[in-house]
Short mmCIF file of all heavy atoms in Angstrom, two decimals:
data_model
loop_
_atom_site.label_atom_id
_atom_site.label_comp_id
_atom_site.label_asym_id
_atom_site.label_seq_id
_atom_site.Cartn_x
_atom_site.Cartn_y
_atom_site.Cartn_z
N LEU L 252 -34.58 -87.63 -70.66
CA LEU L 252 -35.08 -87.50 -69.31
C LEU L 252 -35.95 -88.71 -68.98
O LEU L 252 -35.87 -89.24 -67.79
CB LEU L 252 -35.90 -86.19 -69.17
CG LEU L 252 -36.43 -85.87 -67.78
CD1 LEU L 252 -35.34 -85.79 -66.74
CD2 LEU L 252 -37.27 -84.60 -67.80
N ALA L 253 -36.78 -89.13 -69.87
CA ALA L 253 -37.68 -90.28 -69.63
C ALA L 253 -36.86 -91.56 -69.39
O ALA L 253 -37.18 -92.36 -68.55
CB ALA L 253 -38.65 -90.44 -70.79
N GLU L 254 -35.76 -91.73 -70.18
CA GLU L 254 -34.96 -92.91 -69.98
C GLU L 254 -34.24 -92.84 -68.61
O GLU L 254 -34.13 -93.85 -67.92
CB GLU L 254 -33.88 -92.98 -71.10
CG GLU L 254 -34.43 -93.42 -72.45
CD GLU L 254 -33.37 -93.36 -73.55
OE1 GLU L 254 -32.44 -92.52 -73.46
OE2 GLU L 254 -33.49 -94.12 -74.53
N ALA L 255 -33.74 -91.66 -68.25
CA ALA L 255 -33.08 -91.49 -66.99
C ALA L 255 -34.00 -91.80 -65.81
O ALA L 255 -33.61 -92.44 -64.86
CB ALA L 255 -32.50 -90.08 -66.87
N ARG L 256 -35.25 -91.27 -65.90
CA ARG L 256 -36.19 -91.54 -64.81
C ARG L 256 -36.58 -92.99 -64.70
O ARG L 256 -36.75 -93.53 -63.60
CB ARG L 256 -37.44 -90.70 -65.04
CG ARG L 256 -37.26 -89.22 -64.74
CD ARG L 256 -38.47 -88.39 -65.10
NE ARG L 256 -38.30 -87.03 -64.51
CZ ARG L 256 -39.14 -86.01 -64.80
NH1 ARG L 256 -40.13 -86.22 -65.65
NH2 ARG L 256 -38.94 -84.83 -64.26
N SER L 257 -36.64 -93.70 -65.83
CA SER L 257 -36.92 -95.10 -65.82
C SER L 257 -35.79 -95.88 -65.17
O SER L 257 -36.03 -96.76 -64.33
CB SER L 257 -37.19 -95.63 -67.22
OG SER L 257 -38.33 -94.99 -67.79
N SER L 258 -34.55 -95.58 -65.59
CA SER L 258 -33.42 -96.34 -65.02
C SER L 258 -33.20 -96.03 -63.57
O SER L 258 -32.78 -96.90 -62.77
CB SER L 258 -32.11 -96.02 -65.79
OG SER L 258 -31.84 -94.65 -65.79
N TRP L 259 -33.53 -94.82 -63.15
CA TRP L 259 -33.43 -94.40 -61.71
C TRP L 259 -34.42 -95.22 -60.90
O TRP L 259 -34.10 -95.73 -59.83
CB TRP L 259 -33.65 -92.91 -61.51
CG TRP L 259 -33.59 -92.46 -60.09
CD1 TRP L 259 -34.65 -92.19 -59.27
CD2 TRP L 259 -32.43 -92.31 -59.30
NE1 TRP L 259 -34.21 -91.86 -58.03
CE2 TRP L 259 -32.86 -91.89 -58.00
CE3 TRP L 259 -31.04 -92.43 -59.54
CZ2 TRP L 259 -31.96 -91.62 -56.97
CZ3 TRP L 259 -30.17 -92.17 -58.50
CH2 TRP L 259 -30.63 -91.79 -57.25
N ALA L 260 -35.65 -95.37 -61.38
CA ALA L 260 -36.66 -96.17 -60.71
C ALA L 260 -36.22 -97.64 -60.59
O ALA L 260 -36.41 -98.28 -59.57
CB ALA L 260 -38.03 -96.05 -61.40
N LEU L 261 -35.68 -98.17 -61.67
CA LEU L 261 -35.23 -99.56 -61.68
C LEU L 261 -34.06 -99.75 -60.71
O LEU L 261 -33.96 -100.83 -60.06
CB LEU L 261 -34.78 -99.98 -63.05
CG LEU L 261 -35.91 -100.21 -64.12
CD1 LEU L 261 -35.35 -100.32 -65.50
CD2 LEU L 261 -36.71 -101.46 -63.75
N LEU L 262 -33.22 -98.78 -60.53
CA LEU L 262 -32.05 -98.91 -59.69
C LEU L 262 -32.42 -99.00 -58.22
O LEU L 262 -31.64 -99.46 -57.44
CB LEU L 262 -31.10 -97.70 -59.92
CG LEU L 262 -29.64 -97.84 -59.45
CD1 LEU L 262 -28.96 -99.02 -60.10
CD2 LEU L 262 -28.90 -96.57 -59.73
N GLN L 263 -33.67 -98.64 -57.89
CA GLN L 263 -34.06 -98.74 -56.50
C GLN L 263 -34.38 -100.21 -56.14
O GLN L 263 -34.52 -100.53 -54.97
CB GLN L 263 -35.36 -97.93 -56.21
CG GLN L 263 -35.32 -96.46 -56.78
CD GLN L 263 -34.10 -95.71 -56.34
OE1 GLN L 263 -33.83 -95.61 -55.16
NE2 GLN L 263 -33.38 -95.12 -57.31
N LEU L 264 -34.53 -101.07 -57.15
CA LEU L 264 -34.96 -102.45 -56.93
C LEU L 264 -33.74 -103.36 -56.72
O LEU L 264 -32.81 -103.34 -57.55
CB LEU L 264 -35.78 -102.96 -58.11
CG LEU L 264 -37.02 -102.11 -58.46
CD1 LEU L 264 -37.70 -102.61 -59.72
CD2 LEU L 264 -37.99 -102.06 -57.29
N ASN L 265 -33.78 -104.18 -55.70
CA ASN L 265 -32.66 -105.07 -55.41
C ASN L 265 -32.32 -106.01 -56.58
O ASN L 265 -31.17 -106.21 -56.93
CB ASN L 265 -32.98 -105.96 -54.19
CG ASN L 265 -33.12 -105.17 -52.91
OD1 ASN L 265 -32.40 -104.16 -52.75
ND2 ASN L 265 -33.94 -105.62 -51.99
N GLU L 266 -33.39 -106.53 -57.23
CA GLU L 266 -33.16 -107.50 -58.31
C GLU L 266 -32.45 -106.84 -59.49
O GLU L 266 -31.54 -107.44 -60.06
CB GLU L 266 -34.45 -108.11 -58.75
CG GLU L 266 -34.30 -109.16 -59.80
CD GLU L 266 -35.54 -110.02 -60.00
OE1 GLU L 266 -36.53 -109.51 -60.54
OE2 GLU L 266 -35.50 -111.17 -59.55
N PHE L 267 -32.86 -105.66 -59.85
CA PHE L 267 -32.25 -104.96 -60.98
C PHE L 267 -30.79 -104.59 -60.66
O PHE L 267 -29.90 -104.72 -61.51
CB PHE L 267 -33.06 -103.71 -61.39
CG PHE L 267 -32.64 -103.14 -62.69
CD1 PHE L 267 -33.18 -103.66 -63.88
CD2 PHE L 267 -31.78 -102.06 -62.75
CE1 PHE L 267 -32.79 -103.12 -65.12
CE2 PHE L 267 -31.41 -101.54 -63.99
CZ PHE L 267 -31.91 -102.09 -65.15
N LEU L 268 -30.56 -104.13 -59.45
CA LEU L 268 -29.21 -103.79 -59.02
C LEU L 268 -28.32 -105.00 -59.09
O LEU L 268 -27.17 -104.96 -59.55
CB LEU L 268 -29.25 -103.23 -57.59
CG LEU L 268 -27.86 -102.94 -56.94
CD1 LEU L 268 -27.10 -101.88 -57.73
CD2 LEU L 268 -28.09 -102.48 -55.50
N LEU L 269 -28.80 -106.16 -58.62
CA LEU L 269 -28.01 -107.40 -58.63
C LEU L 269 -27.76 -107.84 -60.06
O LEU L 269 -26.67 -108.33 -60.36
CB LEU L 269 -28.68 -108.48 -57.87
CG LEU L 269 -27.86 -109.72 -57.53
CD1 LEU L 269 -26.77 -109.35 -56.54
CD2 LEU L 269 -28.72 -110.81 -56.96
N ALA L 270 -28.73 -107.68 -60.94
CA ALA L 270 -28.55 -108.05 -62.32
C ALA L 270 -27.42 -107.23 -62.97
O ALA L 270 -26.62 -107.77 -63.78
CB ALA L 270 -29.85 -107.82 -63.10
N LEU L 271 -27.32 -105.95 -62.62
CA LEU L 271 -26.22 -105.12 -63.11
C LEU L 271 -24.90 -105.56 -62.52
O LEU L 271 -23.91 -105.69 -63.24
CB LEU L 271 -26.50 -103.65 -62.79
CG LEU L 271 -27.58 -102.91 -63.55
CD1 LEU L 271 -27.73 -101.50 -63.01
CD2 LEU L 271 -27.26 -102.86 -65.03
N ALA L 272 -24.92 -105.84 -61.20
CA ALA L 272 -23.67 -106.20 -60.52
C ALA L 272 -23.10 -107.54 -60.98
O ALA L 272 -21.90 -107.72 -61.06
CB ALA L 272 -23.91 -106.22 -59.00
N LEU L 273 -23.99 -108.47 -61.32
CA LEU L 273 -23.56 -109.82 -61.70
C LEU L 273 -23.75 -110.15 -63.19
O LEU L 273 -23.74 -111.31 -63.59
CB LEU L 273 -24.32 -110.88 -60.87
CG LEU L 273 -24.16 -110.83 -59.35
CD1 LEU L 273 -24.95 -112.01 -58.72
CD2 LEU L 273 -22.70 -110.93 -58.95
N GLN L 274 -23.85 -109.11 -63.99
CA GLN L 274 -24.21 -109.34 -65.40
C GLN L 274 -23.14 -110.18 -66.16
O GLN L 274 -23.43 -110.79 -67.15
CB GLN L 274 -24.43 -108.02 -66.17
CG GLN L 274 -23.23 -107.16 -66.32
CD GLN L 274 -23.54 -105.86 -67.10
OE1 GLN L 274 -24.70 -105.43 -67.13
NE2 GLN L 274 -22.54 -105.29 -67.72
N ASP L 275 -21.90 -110.16 -65.66
CA ASP L 275 -20.83 -110.95 -66.36
C ASP L 275 -20.48 -112.23 -65.61
O ASP L 275 -19.52 -112.92 -65.96
CB ASP L 275 -19.57 -110.11 -66.48
CG ASP L 275 -19.09 -109.54 -65.14
OD1 ASP L 275 -19.82 -109.67 -64.15
OD2 ASP L 275 -17.95 -109.00 -65.07
#
Side-chain angles (χ1 to χ4, degrees):
L252 181 60
E254 287 175 332
R256 285 175 169 172
S257 297
S258 59
W259 178 258
L261 287 168
L262 197 58
Q263 314 306 308
L264 305 175
N265 293 329
E266 183 165 72
F267 192 82
L268 174 61
L269 193 68
L271 288 176
L273 298 183
Q274 68 179 22
D275 56 350

